Amino acid sequence: AQSVAQPEDQVNVAEGNPLTVKCTYSVSGNPYLFWYVQYPNRGLQFLLKYITGDNLVKGSYGFEAEFNKSQTSFHLKKPSALVSDSALYFCAVRDYNNAGNMLTFGGGTRLMVKP
Amino acid sequence: NAGVTQTPKFRVLKTGQSMTLLCAQDMNHEYMYWYRQDPGMGLRLIHYSVGEGTTAKGEVPDGYNVSRLKKQNFLLGLESAAPSQTSVYFCVTAVGGANVLTFGAGSRLTVL
């Protein structure tokens, strides 16, 4: 079985400050990890993924995420938040051995960046 | 190039009515999924397909059926709608492998 947890329903940061959105996962094998962003009344958009290799993954819009196997975490980070980053963020996981390539999503974290 | 197109975008049903959501993709993706999104619960997989003529159950399949007669289309049917099926439904496609998902714009369904 595979699962993912996003412990924070909402994260508030001031514009220009660094932001972190937390994600922890559970899989029986090796994980494929993803971050997606959702703007109002839209489908989700891909931000970044970890498959293998360097634990620090860089993605779209200046976001990055660090894979930590010992802590089973994949936190999303950005050095300097923008008001336009305000959105709903989803972490997702897939077990490498998952035959249907099915992703399991976390409950989402709403990021609010204030001017 | 339209990507993933869902119809209808909005629908209101009465309890017990039936309906079909249509998903069409023009990217030649093998994998197609139907997810539902509910507040605080993230996205939950209803059914999926790994290729034309194949379907499989996801996490929450009860009350839904699907068909994939053509590679580009994935239909989600509600046989007898219930208020618990009020949700936003997303059709999602993927090439496969270490997949990046492509989402449709969503279909908002309300069951009274």
Side-chain angles (χ1 to χ4, degrees):
Chain A
Q2 55 190 40
S3 66
V4 61
Q6 295 180 241
E8 304 153 316
D9 290 336
Q10 182 162 318
V11 171
N12 299 309
V13 298
E15 188 174 30
N17 283 359
L19 68 88
T20 298
V21 182
K22 296 180 180 178
C23 171
T24 59
Y25 68 91
S26 175
V27 294
S28 56
N30 292 321
Y32 287 0
L33 292 156
F34 302 79
W35 276 101
Y36 284 82
V37 60
Q38 186 180 33
Y39 298 101
N41 301 313
R42 303 284 297 276
L44 278 66
Q45 299 174 28
F46 170 76
L47 272 181
L48 51 80
K49 67 178 178 180
Y50 170 83
I51 303 300
T52 186
D54 194 346
N55 290 342
L56 184 63
V57 178
K58 295 187 182 297
S60 306
Y61 313 120
F63 284 94
E64 59 188 27
E66 186 166 13
F67 170 62
N68 187 318
K69 188 172 183 178
S70 63
Q71 298 186 3
T72 62
S73 67
F74 190 57
H75 301 331
L76 181 70
K77 299 181 179 183
K78 187 174 182 180
S80 179
L82 300 173
V83 172
S84 57
D85 292 331
S86 298
L88 191 55
Y89 290 81
F90 290 93
C91 182
V93 68
R94 192 202 115 191
D95 192 309
Y96 173 79
N97 294 318
N98 186 311
N101 293 337
M102 296 176 289
L103 290 191
T104 297
F105 287 85
T109 299
R110 186 166 301 281
L111 174 65
M112 299 290 291
V113 182
K114 298 181 179 180
Chain B
N1 186 344
V4 180
T5 303
Q6 294 182 228
T7 54
K9 289 184 170 50
F10 302 93
R11 184 74 185 269
V12 178
L13 290 176
K14 295 181 179 179
T15 297
Q17 288 185 317
S18 63
M19 76 158 295
T20 300
L21 295 176
L22 171 63
C23 177
Q25 56 113 346
D26 60 3
M27 298 172 290
N28 204 36
H29 286 177
E30 287 293 336
Y31 296 80
M32 297 187 75
Y33 309 83
W34 278 106
Y35 282 89
R36 59 178 289 175
Q37 183 179 21
D38 302 290
M41 302 187 72
L43 285 87
R44 293 179 292 169
L45 181 64
I46 305 170
H47 285 281
Y48 66 100
S49 168
V50 300
E52 180 179 318
T54 74
T55 63
K57 294 180 179 180
E59 180 185 0
V60 289
D62 294 343
Y64 304 94
N65 58 74
V66 288
S67 65
R68 192 155 177 213
L69 299 179
K70 294 182 179 181
K71 184 177 183 178
Q72 63 268 34
N73 295 337
F74 195 32
L75 279 64
L76 177 70
L78 283 71
E79 297 169 340
S80 178
S84 62
Q85 294 177 305
T86 294
S87 187
V88 179
Y89 293 85
F90 287 100
C91 177
V92 184
T93 71
V95 172
N99 52 297
V100 171
L101 305 182
T102 300
F103 279 74
S107 298
R108 185 175 295 275
L109 175 65
T110 301
V111 183
L112 303 176

